[in-house]
Amino acid sequence: MENRTLLEVKNLVTAFRSDGEKTIAVNNVSFTLNRGETIGIVGESGSGKSVTSLSVMRLIPNPPGEITGGEILFHGENGVVDLTKISEKEMRSYRGNEIAMIFQEPMTSLNPVYTCGDQVAEAIILHQKLSKKEARLKTIELFTKVELPRPDIMFDTYPHQISGGQKQRVMIAMAMSCNPSILIADEPTTALDVTVQRTILELMMQLQQEHDMGIMFITHDLGVIAELADKVVVMYKGKIVEQGSVTDIFMNPQHPYTKGLLACRPPLNRRLHWLPTVSDFMLIDENGVIRETHKSVAEVTDSLVISAEETAKKHDKLYKQEPILQIRNLKTYFPISKGVFGNAKEYVKAVDDVSFDVYPGETLGLVGESGCGKTTLGRTILKLVEPTDGQIIFEGKDITNLSVKEMREYRKEMQIIFQDPYSSLNPRITIGEAIMEPMRVHKVFHSDKERKARVMELLRRVDLPEQYFYRYPHEFSGGQRQRICIARSLALNPKFIICDESVSALDVSVQAQVLNLLNELKEEFKFTYIFISHDLSVVKFMSDKMLVMQEGQIKEMGLADDIYANPKTEYTKTLINAIPKGEIDDINKSLQKKKDRRSSIVE
């Protein structure tokens, strides 16, 4: 019988040295990958997932990193090779040729000064020794296979000229250019819309079928893993805490950390008071020892369900009020070409005749794919982008045509939490100063002593220690930085906050904590939110009402539960169907598809 083993990782240890201290990032990790198989490696940021994949590729920077133990056995046509024992020159013949990798952020993986085609052709010329002309034809063929539009034109296009999904397809074409035996995909869909994510996952499965390759798929999202993987490896603090078949892990998780990861993704079929987090299943004492709560996923989630009666009662009270915000026929157009006399001839209609109301204490969800106009709408409401036409009425006053000076007073009442917390924080000032800054601008309190006391109170409220006041943004994790931005948005006691993709870059476990925090703060301070996201499951959990946007217009509007249960438009149905649900029926369908594909390969 044919040996289908491709890769054996045995007792792998990877360590980093910094300031004389040694940190073990991957600790005694072992797993096997076979031909035609997908192994999903899951865990939060810092769990060791990416370092494991970089170790397999021998891409750990040395110094400060080093593989200090274990074996990485690659089973190729020429026998079994331990990749930890060969020279860098020998490793180059395996890297890209036998083992290819797709990285999380395609923009940083692609060179901005070369065209997309040149970068893929370079790998083909290097490994397959083809001429430039042959490499160009092969690249265009690959671009066709990964369904890039106008492949011949795409060859001469630069990375900044295409969308995130298209950049990721270029990376897949590059990875597949030498027909590798193993494809390592490190968070390849994290920043993508659910619909784009779905097409990328289907493309990878199709390519796997054609080439019978093994895939190592690294992610923090168990919903994605459910639809893709055969086996699952769960990592926590550098170690494997659980591994098994995808059905075993989802049907009967054993480790409390796995239970936490499964439970913290927002459910679609019911409404919860708050999202479960890892701490509901495991507690860590001061010595780092894990204490299990011995609760099942069902026990925890069942105890948090909100009844339909409770929701109806809340909505009845909510929608009897006068709206805090009224949007009437709002338009935001951007000129893209001009005539002879400088007049605009063509426009991008980013927001096109949009009308809706937002009520005090409501969370209004705004969902749609990238480019649908969600973010522009949010910024137009806050007058960060000037509207082309229409009205923005806040607390009964039309603020559409207010000057910058007049609008400054309203900035206290209307705040925004941006998608990328790092780029919205000044790297040169401490986070205490960053939170205090808007209070100084708006002359809140009489002295910095009073302002500092308020900052300390806000840090405590978003579950950050007071000593963080003196630290800089680069010293924090993504989840901590988002908490800092939330604290800053609260500094002026606003009535209305726009959350613009404020959890999209976070691990699902950290995302659950931040969503719970936003809901707690809403109850405590009586905020009104507009919550913008491309993730319909997150929007449904957070929202009372939901707007579905496409091409600058509202395609559907109504109660979040009603839209999910009975979508009226094909576009909304597509968004809902694209969500990785992680339910056992979906897993069984996915496994059956794979079985059918493998049967067709054997035949």
Side-chain angles (χ1 to χ4, degrees):
M1 189 177 171
E2 180 199 1
N3 178 22
R4 293 186 61 78
T5 303
L6 270 176
L7 186 74
E8 289 179 277
V9 175
K10 294 184 174 181
N11 310 114
L12 178 67
V13 180
T14 304
F16 292 84
R17 291 185 186 277
S18 178
D19 299 326
E21 288 187 14
K22 182 179 177 183
T23 302
I24 297 174
V26 174
N27 193 352
N28 204 30
V29 162
S30 301
F31 60 86
T32 302
L33 176 67
N34 299 317
R35 288 186 182 280
E37 180 179 68
T38 301
I39 186 165
I41 302 181
V42 294
E44 297 168 289
S45 295
S47 62
K49 312 183 300 291
S50 293
V51 177
T52 301
S53 67
L54 292 170
S55 299
V56 170
M57 292 287 285
R58 285 269 305 274
L59 289 174
I60 298 293
N62 185 3
E66 186 185 3
I67 296 171
T68 58
E71 299 172 300
I72 301 169
L73 305 177
F74 176 73
H75 294 248
E77 290 178 5
N78 300 322
V80 181
V81 178
D82 186 349
L83 301 180
T84 65
K85 300 287 192 295
I86 61 177
S87 67
E88 175 59 25
K89 186 180 178 184
E90 289 174 296
M91 187 63 207
R92 277 194 212 115
S93 66
Y94 287 92
R95 201 184 288 136
N97 203 22
E98 293 285 2
I99 308 173
M101 189 163 182
I102 306 167
F103 294 94
Q104 178 172 358
E105 181 41 74
M107 192 63 205
T108 55
S109 309
L110 292 168
N111 191 325
V113 301
Y114 291 101
T115 68
C116 296
D118 282 337
Q119 294 183 65
V120 177
E122 183 185 25
I124 294 168
I125 292 166
L126 179 68
H127 288 291
Q128 297 188 19
K129 308 294 187 256
L130 298 180
S131 68
K132 276 191 174 183
K133 188 177 179 182
E134 290 169 324
R136 181 185 175 94
L137 291 172
K138 170 92 172 170
T139 301
I140 291 171
E141 185 188 322
L142 284 163
F143 282 178
T144 305
K145 187 174 273 190
V146 299
E147 296 178 14
L148 278 164
R150 306 181 306 283
D152 50 337
I153 295 171
M154 191 63 68
F155 188 98
D156 298 310
T157 302
Y158 288 89
H160 71 273
Q161 296 175 302
I162 59 177
S163 71
Q166 289 172 336
K167 281 194 275 278
Q168 202 59 285
R169 286 169 187 269
V170 172
M171 289 299 298
I172 292 172
M174 191 185 294
M176 296 304 301
S177 61
C178 298
N179 296 329
S181 304
I182 297 171
L183 179 64
I184 300 174
D186 185 5
E187 301 268 18
T189 60
T190 300
L192 303 179
D193 296 335
V194 284
T195 47
V196 179
Q197 173 179 272
R198 168 59 64 91
T199 58
I200 294 292
L201 295 179
E202 286 176 351
L203 172 61
M204 289 175 67
M205 287 189 275
Q206 181 189 329
L207 292 169
Q208 181 182 43
Q209 176 192 353
E210 288 174 16
H211 301 281
D212 198 25
M213 66 183 174
I215 295 178
M216 271 173 65
F217 195 95
I218 295 159
T219 183
H220 61 259
D221 190 341
L222 274 158
V224 171
I225 287 296
E227 300 198 1
L228 195 71
D230 301 286
K231 293 191 301 199
V232 182
V233 169
V234 183
M235 291 188 72
Y236 177 68
K237 292 192 174 178
K239 293 183 177 180
I240 293 176
V241 294
E242 187 166 2
Q243 66 175 304
S245 73
V246 67
T247 44
D248 286 346
I249 295 291
F250 275 78
M251 286 291 286
N252 190 24
Q254 298 300 306
H255 197 274
Y257 181 67
T258 312
K259 293 176 187 176
L261 287 181
L262 282 167
C264 64
R265 185 161 175 80
L268 286 159
N269 54 354
R270 51 191 177 167
R271 190 170 278 275
L272 303 182
H273 285 283
W274 66 84
L275 290 173
T277 61
V278 171
S279 60
D280 287 306
F281 300 90
M282 61 186 251
L283 303 168
I284 302 167
D285 66 20
E286 57 214 23
N287 301 315
V289 177
I290 294 172
R291 307 287 182 196
E292 187 174 353
T293 61
H294 299 289
K295 292 177 183 174
S296 70
V297 173
E299 274 180 288
V300 172
T301 51
D302 287 351
S303 68
L304 298 173
V305 174
I306 302 174
S307 68
E309 290 77 19
E310 279 181 89
T311 303
K313 197 174 175 183
K314 177 192 171 188
H315 288 163
D316 188 49
K317 186 179 175 183
L318 198 62
Y319 297 120
K320 279 180 178 171
Q321 307 173 92
E322 287 297 312
I324 187 172
L325 179 73
Q326 295 165 282
I327 303 299
R328 296 289 176 265
N329 308 108
L330 194 64
K331 298 176 183 178
T332 308
Y333 295 173
F334 298 110
I336 52 172
S337 69
K338 295 187 176 180
V340 179
F341 300 105
N343 298 320
K345 281 171 58 183
E346 290 184 90
Y347 293 91
V348 170
K349 296 181 179 182
V351 177
D352 191 13
D353 201 19
V354 164
S355 300
F356 59 89
D357 293 335
V358 186
Y359 293 81
E362 180 185 22
T363 298
L364 180 76
L366 198 52
V367 70
E369 296 171 292
S370 292
C372 72
K374 309 184 299 290
T375 294
T376 304
L377 175 56
R379 293 181 183 216
T380 304
I381 290 167
L382 296 181
K383 296 286 300 291
L384 297 173
V385 174
E386 282 298 319
T388 305
D389 197 8
Q391 287 180 293
I392 305 161
I393 301 164
F394 183 72
E395 291 194 313
K397 180 173 174 63
D398 189 340
I399 64 169
T400 319
N401 299 311
L402 292 186
S403 67
V404 173
K405 188 178 178 183
E406 290 170 318
M407 192 62 204
R408 194 169 292 147
E409 275 304 303
Y410 282 89
R411 296 264 178 256
K412 284 195 287 190
E413 307 290 350
M414 308 167 81
Q415 287 289 303
I416 186 167
I417 304 167
F418 293 101
Q419 177 173 0
D420 182 358
Y422 191 69
S423 64
S424 57
L425 291 168
N426 187 332
R428 294 180 180 179
I429 65 173
T430 65
I431 62 111
E433 287 290 321
I435 298 170
M436 207 189 289
E437 186 180 36
M439 288 193 267
R440 285 198 190 112
V441 170
H442 289 280
K443 297 181 173 56
V444 176
F445 299 115
H446 299 293
S447 67
D448 275 358
K449 185 179 178 182
E450 290 176 289
R451 293 178 191 118
K452 186 176 178 181
R454 172 66 173 155
V455 173
M456 294 300 190
E457 182 190 324
L458 288 169
L459 287 175
R460 286 194 300 272
R461 190 60 202 83
V462 297
D463 298 324
L464 293 174
E466 289 182 7
Q467 60 265 33
Y468 283 6
F469 182 99
Y470 304 99
R471 294 191 184 178
Y472 290 86
H474 72 271
E475 298 179 74
F476 297 95
S477 69
Q480 287 172 325
R481 281 198 284 264
Q482 201 56 283
R483 287 171 184 271
I484 292 161
C485 288
I486 291 168
R488 187 176 60 179
S489 72
L490 303 182
L492 300 174
N493 290 323
K495 294 178 181 175
F496 171 70
I497 298 176
I498 293 180
C499 304
D500 184 10
E501 298 275 13
S502 53
V503 296
S504 63
L506 303 178
D507 294 338
V508 282
S509 53
V510 179
Q511 174 181 279
Q513 294 167 22
V514 172
L515 293 176
N516 288 342
L517 174 64
L518 287 169
N519 277 335
E520 282 172 31
L521 293 169
K522 177 186 166 185
E523 291 302 313
E524 187 176 332
F525 296 101
K526 308 303 177 192
F527 294 138
T528 302
Y529 287 138
I530 287 184
F531 193 91
I532 300 170
S533 179
H534 61 256
D535 188 335
L536 200 138
S537 61
V538 169
V539 171
K540 181 181 175 292
F541 167 72
M542 290 294 288
S543 306
D544 299 294
K545 267 188 185 164
M546 193 155 70
L547 307 183
V548 181
M549 280 191 78
Q550 185 186 25
E551 295 177 351
Q553 297 182 328
I554 294 172
K555 293 296 177 186
E556 195 159 349
M557 177 165 45
L559 293 174
D561 292 340
D562 292 348
I563 285 180
Y564 178 73
N566 187 26
K568 299 284 190 295
T569 67
E570 283 304 315
Y571 179 67
T572 310
K573 288 174 188 173
T574 302
L575 287 180
I576 291 170
N577 291 335
I579 301 167
K581 298 175 182 67
E583 292 168 0
I584 201 65
D585 287 347
D586 297 317
I587 294 169
N588 289 334
K589 281 178 194 169
S590 178
L591 290 173
Q592 187 57 49
K593 270 188 195 173
K594 286 194 154 208
K595 199 182 278 184
D596 295 342
R597 281 172 180 158
R598 281 170 197 152
S599 300
S600 67
I601 290 169
V602 172
E603 286 166 15

